[in-house]
Amino acid sequence: MATYRFPGLDGRALSPALRIEQAAGDIAGLAAAYPDTPFRLLGFSTGAPIAISAAARMRNEVKVAGLSPAVECGGGAETAIRTTRLILNAAWRVRSVRLRRVWLAYYRLLLFGTPVLSDQALSTRAAQIIAARADRIVFPEGGLPRAHMADLRRWRLPRDIAFEEGRIRFFHGLEDPVFSPEQIRRFAAQLGGVPVTGYEGQGHLMFASHLPVFDDVFAFFEGREPGEGGGAGL
């Protein structure tokens, strides 16, 4: 197993900033060293465009799972307006403009979407997850957002990109406050009708809030129909 390290994480320097096509080229270069090896690429959020672009360059037998996938141009104005409004609302709820306090309030929405604000059971669960992940939560400070997202805001699918049926699947929380189900449907359509497995009551950070999603990811990788992880066709 190999992982691609983003700038500023896992001991990597913050500079140079992430470049999606460069990252895709690095992954494809690794695959080229193992031409007879099947590859399974799992990309979370911005990692999904990287995985898609890498797979398009690879000659290996490859499948791509996009978990809470980022879409073209990072969702553009639609995502920017929605997330800005939610972050400002988070600041109002905690009566603070201190970044870490505001981010932890917004993090609850990333886990379960806006229902967490009115559902006590969800709110309690969010607090438990945040406490358990306290030493692993990444805060958007010190230039990290720009290093991770600037290129995504410019990124579009390569014009000639094409995949055989069954090579890509998206796994998406239906309460995702970053990328809406409709945005994901449009992105899937651009890729020729990629299947989307949706999860009721889940937000953007399903790797933390809904571990059974990985049962569905592995089912897809193994050629089985996802469903054990609680998802349904979107």
Side-chain angles (χ1 to χ4, degrees):
M1 183 179 73
T3 59
Y4 186 86
R5 298 179 302 161
F6 274 42
L9 303 181
D10 302 318
R12 183 177 172 184
L14 192 60
S15 179
L18 175 70
R19 295 292 183 265
I20 289 174
E21 295 302 331
Q22 179 180 330
D26 291 343
I27 294 168
L30 172 66
Y34 304 92
D36 299 322
T37 301
F39 272 69
R40 301 293 180 258
L41 305 181
L42 172 59
F44 166 70
S45 196
T46 304
I50 294 173
I52 290 167
S53 291
R57 304 174 186 213
M58 292 164 57
R59 296 183 180 274
N60 310 67
E61 190 269 300
V62 61
K63 286 187 174 182
V64 176
L67 179 61
S68 305
V71 301
E72 281 192 327
C73 299
E78 181 179 347
T79 287
I81 292 170
R82 179 169 57 246
T83 55
T84 298
R85 174 173 55 82
L86 292 174
I87 290 171
L88 290 175
N89 286 343
W92 179 83
R93 288 195 305 277
V94 297
R95 302 296 194 273
S96 176
V97 294
R98 297 180 65 179
L99 186 148
R100 293 200 167 207
R101 287 197 64 192
V102 174
W103 187 251
L104 289 177
Y106 179 59
Y107 200 90
R108 301 195 313 149
L109 301 176
L110 292 175
L111 290 168
F112 296 113
T114 55
V116 77
L117 300 178
S118 55
D119 186 314
Q120 185 57 49
L122 280 182
S123 181
T124 299
R125 178 64 181 138
Q128 292 170 340
I129 293 172
I130 290 171
R133 296 183 57 82
D135 61 345
R136 289 176 286 169
I137 293 176
V138 176
F139 292 93
E141 53 193 4
L144 192 69
R146 180 174 179 80
H148 286 193
M149 299 173 60
D151 196 50
L152 176 63
R153 296 191 181 105
R154 298 184 290 265
W155 180 79
R156 292 186 178 275
L157 280 170
R159 292 181 181 178
D160 58 349
I161 199 164
F163 294 96
E164 295 179 11
E165 185 177 350
R167 295 301 180 189
I168 303 178
R169 193 175 193 108
F170 292 156
F171 301 84
H172 183 69
L174 300 185
E175 298 294 342
D176 191 329
V178 183
F179 304 111
S180 70
E182 182 54 37
Q183 287 177 296
I184 300 301
R185 289 190 193 98
R186 292 197 300 263
F187 189 44
Q190 288 177 274
L191 283 160
V194 168
V196 181
T197 301
Y199 298 82
E200 295 281 352
Q202 296 298 321
H204 193 64
L205 303 181
M206 283 195 292
F207 64 82
S209 65
H210 189 63
L211 291 180
V213 68
F214 293 106
D215 293 333
D216 285 344
V217 170
F218 291 133
F220 164 63
F221 282 161
E222 294 170 358
R224 297 181 286 112
E225 185 65 21
E228 295 181 4
L234 178 58

mmCIF file of all heavy atoms in Angstrom, residues 110-140:
data_model
loop_
_atom_site.group_PDB
_atom_site.id
_atom_site.type_symbol
_atom_site.label_atom_id
_atom_site.label_comp_id
_atom_site.label_asym_id
_atom_site.label_seq_id
_atom_site.Cartn_x
_atom_site.Cartn_y
_atom_site.Cartn_z
ATOM 1 N N LEU A 110 -18.990 19.099 8.973
ATOM 2 C CA LEU A 110 -18.271 18.241 8.038
ATOM 3 C C LEU A 110 -18.547 16.762 8.323
ATOM 4 O O LEU A 110 -18.520 15.932 7.410
ATOM 5 C CB LEU A 110 -16.771 18.513 8.107
ATOM 6 C CG LEU A 110 -16.312 19.872 7.588
ATOM 7 C CD1 LEU A 110 -14.803 20.048 7.823
ATOM 8 C CD2 LEU A 110 -16.625 20.037 6.108
ATOM 9 N N LEU A 111 -18.816 16.433 9.575
ATOM 10 C CA LEU A 111 -19.110 15.055 9.937
ATOM 11 C C LEU A 111 -20.515 14.628 9.530
ATOM 12 O O LEU A 111 -20.701 13.572 8.924
ATOM 13 C CB LEU A 111 -18.940 14.858 11.451
ATOM 14 C CG LEU A 111 -17.508 14.918 11.984
ATOM 15 C CD1 LEU A 111 -17.513 15.014 13.498
ATOM 16 C CD2 LEU A 111 -16.710 13.688 11.531
ATOM 17 N N PHE A 112 -21.518 15.454 9.850
ATOM 18 C CA PHE A 112 -22.910 15.029 9.690
ATOM 19 C C PHE A 112 -23.801 16.030 8.969
ATOM 20 O O PHE A 112 -25.012 15.818 8.864
ATOM 21 C CB PHE A 112 -23.520 14.705 11.064
ATOM 22 C CG PHE A 112 -22.863 13.554 11.758
ATOM 23 C CD1 PHE A 112 -22.141 13.750 12.930
ATOM 24 C CD2 PHE A 112 -22.945 12.274 11.248
ATOM 25 C CE1 PHE A 112 -21.533 12.685 13.584
ATOM 26 C CE2 PHE A 112 -22.338 11.202 11.885
ATOM 27 C CZ PHE A 112 -21.630 11.404 13.058
ATOM 28 N N GLY A 113 -23.242 17.121 8.476
ATOM 29 C CA GLY A 113 -24.064 18.102 7.797
ATOM 30 C C GLY A 113 -24.901 18.921 8.765
ATOM 31 O O GLY A 113 -24.788 18.809 9.990
ATOM 32 N N THR A 114 -25.773 19.750 8.239
ATOM 33 C CA THR A 114 -26.558 20.667 9.074
ATOM 34 C C THR A 114 -27.512 19.981 10.050
ATOM 35 O O THR A 114 -27.867 20.589 11.068
ATOM 36 C CB THR A 114 -27.340 21.654 8.196
ATOM 37 O OG1 THR A 114 -28.143 20.931 7.254
ATOM 38 C CG2 THR A 114 -26.386 22.585 7.443
ATOM 39 N N PRO A 115 -27.956 18.726 9.831
ATOM 40 C CA PRO A 115 -28.807 18.089 10.841
ATOM 41 C C PRO A 115 -28.159 17.991 12.214
ATOM 42 O O PRO A 115 -28.866 17.879 13.227
ATOM 43 C CB PRO A 115 -29.072 16.693 10.248
ATOM 44 C CG PRO A 115 -29.032 16.911 8.778
ATOM 45 C CD PRO A 115 -27.914 17.906 8.592
ATOM 46 N N VAL A 116 -26.808 18.051 12.291
ATOM 47 C CA VAL A 116 -26.140 17.970 13.583
ATOM 48 C C VAL A 116 -26.523 19.144 14.487
ATOM 49 O O VAL A 116 -26.414 19.059 15.721
ATOM 50 C CB VAL A 116 -24.605 17.910 13.388
ATOM 51 C CG1 VAL A 116 -24.037 19.287 13.053
ATOM 52 C CG2 VAL A 116 -23.909 17.328 14.607
ATOM 53 N N LEU A 117 -26.999 20.232 13.901
ATOM 54 C CA LEU A 117 -27.344 21.420 14.685
ATOM 55 C C LEU A 117 -28.656 21.257 15.435
ATOM 56 O O LEU A 117 -28.899 21.970 16.411
ATOM 57 C CB LEU A 117 -27.429 22.648 13.765
ATOM 58 C CG LEU A 117 -26.151 23.005 13.000
ATOM 59 C CD1 LEU A 117 -26.397 24.197 12.093
ATOM 60 C CD2 LEU A 117 -25.003 23.271 13.962
ATOM 61 N N SER A 118 -29.505 20.336 14.997
ATOM 62 C CA SER A 118 -30.809 20.183 15.628
ATOM 63 C C SER A 118 -31.053 18.796 16.214
ATOM 64 O O SER A 118 -32.036 18.588 16.916
ATOM 65 C CB SER A 118 -31.925 20.476 14.612
ATOM 66 O OG SER A 118 -31.804 19.667 13.465
ATOM 67 N N ASP A 119 -30.166 17.860 15.936
ATOM 68 C CA ASP A 119 -30.320 16.481 16.403
ATOM 69 C C ASP A 119 -29.343 16.236 17.548
ATOM 70 O O ASP A 119 -28.129 16.203 17.333
ATOM 71 C CB ASP A 119 -30.059 15.518 15.242
ATOM 72 C CG ASP A 119 -30.342 14.065 15.586
ATOM 73 O OD1 ASP A 119 -29.909 13.614 16.657
ATOM 74 O OD2 ASP A 119 -30.976 13.377 14.760
ATOM 75 N N GLN A 120 -29.854 16.044 18.763
ATOM 76 C CA GLN A 120 -28.996 15.909 19.930
ATOM 77 C C GLN A 120 -28.117 14.665 19.855
ATOM 78 O O GLN A 120 -26.949 14.688 20.259
ATOM 79 C CB GLN A 120 -29.829 15.874 21.203
ATOM 80 C CG GLN A 120 -28.998 15.861 22.483
ATOM 81 C CD GLN A 120 -28.055 17.054 22.585
ATOM 82 O OE1 GLN A 120 -28.461 18.190 22.390
ATOM 83 N NE2 GLN A 120 -26.776 16.798 22.881
ATOM 84 N N ALA A 121 -28.676 13.578 19.319
ATOM 85 C CA ALA A 121 -27.884 12.346 19.218
ATOM 86 C C ALA A 121 -26.705 12.543 18.263
ATOM 87 O O ALA A 121 -25.584 12.100 18.543
ATOM 88 C CB ALA A 121 -28.765 11.196 18.741
ATOM 89 N N LEU A 122 -26.947 13.219 17.146
ATOM 90 C CA LEU A 122 -25.869 13.505 16.209
ATOM 91 C C LEU A 122 -24.836 14.439 16.828
ATOM 92 O O LEU A 122 -23.633 14.275 16.643
ATOM 93 C CB LEU A 122 -26.417 14.129 14.926
ATOM 94 C CG LEU A 122 -27.020 13.213 13.876
ATOM 95 C CD1 LEU A 122 -27.453 14.033 12.663
ATOM 96 C CD2 LEU A 122 -26.043 12.128 13.454
ATOM 97 N N SER A 123 -25.324 15.443 17.563
ATOM 98 C CA SER A 123 -24.418 16.391 18.205
ATOM 99 C C SER A 123 -23.508 15.687 19.196
ATOM 100 O O SER A 123 -22.295 15.954 19.260
ATOM 101 C CB SER A 123 -25.224 17.487 18.914
ATOM 102 O OG SER A 123 -24.366 18.421 19.529
ATOM 103 N N THR A 124 -24.072 14.756 19.963
ATOM 104 C CA THR A 124 -23.283 13.988 20.927
ATOM 105 C C THR A 124 -22.265 13.115 20.219
ATOM 106 O O THR A 124 -21.096 13.034 20.618
ATOM 107 C CB THR A 124 -24.201 13.119 21.795
ATOM 108 O OG1 THR A 124 -25.096 13.964 22.526
ATOM 109 C CG2 THR A 124 -23.395 12.277 22.771
ATOM 110 N N ARG A 125 -22.696 12.469 19.144
ATOM 111 C CA ARG A 125 -21.783 11.619 18.376
ATOM 112 C C ARG A 125 -20.648 12.447 17.771
ATOM 113 O O ARG A 125 -19.485 12.034 17.787
ATOM 114 C CB ARG A 125 -22.555 10.902 17.269
ATOM 115 C CG ARG A 125 -21.704 10.029 16.373
ATOM 116 C CD ARG A 125 -21.079 8.884 17.121
ATOM 117 N NE ARG A 125 -20.241 8.070 16.253
ATOM 118 C CZ ARG A 125 -19.059 7.583 16.607
ATOM 119 N NH1 ARG A 125 -18.574 7.815 17.827
ATOM 120 N NH2 ARG A 125 -18.370 6.834 15.766
ATOM 121 N N ALA A 126 -20.978 13.627 17.249
ATOM 122 C CA ALA A 126 -19.952 14.499 16.690
ATOM 123 C C ALA A 126 -18.927 14.881 17.754
ATOM 124 O O ALA A 126 -17.718 14.877 17.495
ATOM 125 C CB ALA A 126 -20.583 15.741 16.078
ATOM 126 N N ALA A 127 -19.402 15.214 18.949
ATOM 127 C CA ALA A 127 -18.494 15.580 20.032
ATOM 128 C C ALA A 127 -17.584 14.420 20.401
ATOM 129 O O ALA A 127 -16.388 14.615 20.683
ATOM 130 C CB ALA A 127 -19.300 16.026 21.255
ATOM 131 N N GLN A 128 -18.113 13.206 20.372
ATOM 132 C CA GLN A 128 -17.299 12.028 20.682
ATOM 133 C C GLN A 128 -16.215 11.815 19.630
ATOM 134 O O GLN A 128 -15.063 11.510 19.975
ATOM 135 C CB GLN A 128 -18.202 10.789 20.769
ATOM 136 C CG GLN A 128 -19.152 10.798 21.950
ATOM 137 C CD GLN A 128 -20.192 9.687 21.869
ATOM 138 O OE1 GLN A 128 -20.459 9.131 20.790
ATOM 139 N NE2 GLN A 128 -20.787 9.354 22.999
ATOM 140 N N ILE A 129 -16.574 11.974 18.364
ATOM 141 C CA ILE A 129 -15.596 11.797 17.284
ATOM 142 C C ILE A 129 -14.506 12.847 17.376
ATOM 143 O O ILE A 129 -13.308 12.546 17.233
ATOM 144 C CB ILE A 129 -16.294 11.853 15.914
ATOM 145 C CG1 ILE A 129 -17.223 10.647 15.738
ATOM 146 C CG2 ILE A 129 -15.266 11.906 14.782
ATOM 147 C CD1 ILE A 129 -18.088 10.721 14.499
ATOM 148 N N ILE A 130 -14.900 14.095 17.618
ATOM 149 C CA ILE A 130 -13.918 15.181 17.714
ATOM 150 C C ILE A 130 -12.962 14.936 18.874
ATOM 151 O O ILE A 130 -11.747 15.135 18.749
ATOM 152 C CB ILE A 130 -14.631 16.534 17.842
ATOM 153 C CG1 ILE A 130 -15.316 16.886 16.510
ATOM 154 C CG2 ILE A 130 -13.655 17.632 18.250
ATOM 155 C CD1 ILE A 130 -16.233 18.084 16.585
ATOM 156 N N ALA A 131 -13.487 14.482 20.015
ATOM 157 C CA ALA A 131 -12.628 14.206 21.171
ATOM 158 C C ALA A 131 -11.651 13.078 20.864
ATOM 159 O O ALA A 131 -10.465 13.142 21.223
ATOM 160 C CB ALA A 131 -13.489 13.853 22.382
ATOM 161 N N ALA A 132 -12.135 12.042 20.173
ATOM 162 C CA ALA A 132 -11.276 10.900 19.856
ATOM 163 C C ALA A 132 -10.206 11.252 18.834
ATOM 164 O O ALA A 132 -9.132 10.641 18.805
ATOM 165 C CB ALA A 132 -12.132 9.740 19.351
ATOM 166 N N ARG A 133 -10.499 12.236 17.987
ATOM 167 C CA ARG A 133 -9.566 12.611 16.922
ATOM 168 C C ARG A 133 -8.812 13.903 17.242
ATOM 169 O O ARG A 133 -8.199 14.491 16.341
ATOM 170 C CB ARG A 133 -10.334 12.800 15.610
ATOM 171 C CG ARG A 133 -11.005 11.555 15.075
ATOM 172 C CD ARG A 133 -11.674 11.835 13.737
ATOM 173 N NE ARG A 133 -10.732 12.344 12.759
ATOM 174 C CZ ARG A 133 -9.919 11.576 12.041
ATOM 175 N NH1 ARG A 133 -9.952 10.261 12.178
ATOM 176 N NH2 ARG A 133 -9.087 12.117 11.151
ATOM 177 N N ALA A 134 -8.835 14.331 18.481
ATOM 178 C CA ALA A 134 -8.306 15.649 18.842
ATOM 179 C C ALA A 134 -6.876 15.873 18.347
ATOM 180 O O ALA A 134 -6.531 16.976 17.908
ATOM 181 C CB ALA A 134 -8.373 15.844 20.356
ATOM 182 N N ASP A 135 -6.055 14.834 18.396
ATOM 183 C CA ASP A 135 -4.646 15.005 17.991
ATOM 184 C C ASP A 135 -4.435 14.785 16.499
ATOM 185 O O ASP A 135 -3.300 14.857 16.010
ATOM 186 C CB ASP A 135 -3.749 14.061 18.788
ATOM 187 C CG ASP A 135 -4.084 12.594 18.567
ATOM 188 O OD1 ASP A 135 -5.184 12.308 18.032
ATOM 189 O OD2 ASP A 135 -3.266 11.729 18.934
ATOM 190 N N ARG A 136 -5.527 14.521 15.750
ATOM 191 C CA ARG A 136 -5.404 14.275 14.314
ATOM 192 C C ARG A 136 -6.177 15.279 13.461
ATOM 193 O O ARG A 136 -6.130 15.211 12.240
ATOM 194 C CB ARG A 136 -5.880 12.855 13.984
ATOM 195 C CG ARG A 136 -4.940 11.765 14.467
ATOM 196 C CD ARG A 136 -5.516 10.397 14.201
ATOM 197 N NE ARG A 136 -6.609 10.089 15.120
ATOM 198 C CZ ARG A 136 -7.434 9.064 14.990
ATOM 199 N NH1 ARG A 136 -7.323 8.267 13.931
ATOM 200 N NH2 ARG A 136 -8.379 8.842 15.887
ATOM 201 N N ILE A 137 -6.895 16.182 14.100
ATOM 202 C CA ILE A 137 -7.654 17.177 13.350
ATOM 203 C C ILE A 137 -6.690 18.195 12.748
ATOM 204 O O ILE A 137 -5.837 18.753 13.444
ATOM 205 C CB ILE A 137 -8.698 17.866 14.235
ATOM 206 C CG1 ILE A 137 -9.773 16.857 14.643
ATOM 207 C CG2 ILE A 137 -9.336 19.052 13.514
ATOM 208 C CD1 ILE A 137 -10.809 17.415 15.616
ATOM 209 N N VAL A 138 -6.819 18.418 11.462
ATOM 210 C CA VAL A 138 -5.967 19.369 10.758
ATOM 211 C C VAL A 138 -6.697 20.705 10.674
ATOM 212 O O VAL A 138 -7.822 20.780 10.174
ATOM 213 C CB VAL A 138 -5.624 18.862 9.338
ATOM 214 C CG1 VAL A 138 -4.807 19.903 8.579
ATOM 215 C CG2 VAL A 138 -4.878 17.531 9.422
ATOM 216 N N PHE A 139 -6.070 21.758 11.174
ATOM 217 C CA PHE A 139 -6.671 23.086 11.152
ATOM 218 C C PHE A 139 -6.188 23.866 9.924
ATOM 219 O O PHE A 139 -5.015 23.773 9.537
ATOM 220 C CB PHE A 139 -6.317 23.851 12.427
ATOM 221 C CG PHE A 139 -6.953 23.269 13.661
ATOM 222 C CD1 PHE A 139 -6.271 22.323 14.431
ATOM 223 C CD2 PHE A 139 -8.227 23.646 14.043
ATOM 224 C CE1 PHE A 139 -6.848 21.778 15.556
ATOM 225 C CE2 PHE A 139 -8.819 23.113 15.177
ATOM 226 C CZ PHE A 139 -8.121 22.171 15.937
ATOM 227 N N PRO A 140 -7.064 24.646 9.321
ATOM 228 C CA PRO A 140 -6.708 25.388 8.096
ATOM 229 C C PRO A 140 -5.949 26.673 8.415
ATOM 230 O O PRO A 140 -6.470 27.773 8.286
ATOM 231 C CB PRO A 140 -8.076 25.682 7.475
ATOM 232 C CG PRO A 140 -8.986 25.821 8.666
ATOM 233 C CD PRO A 140 -8.482 24.813 9.678
#
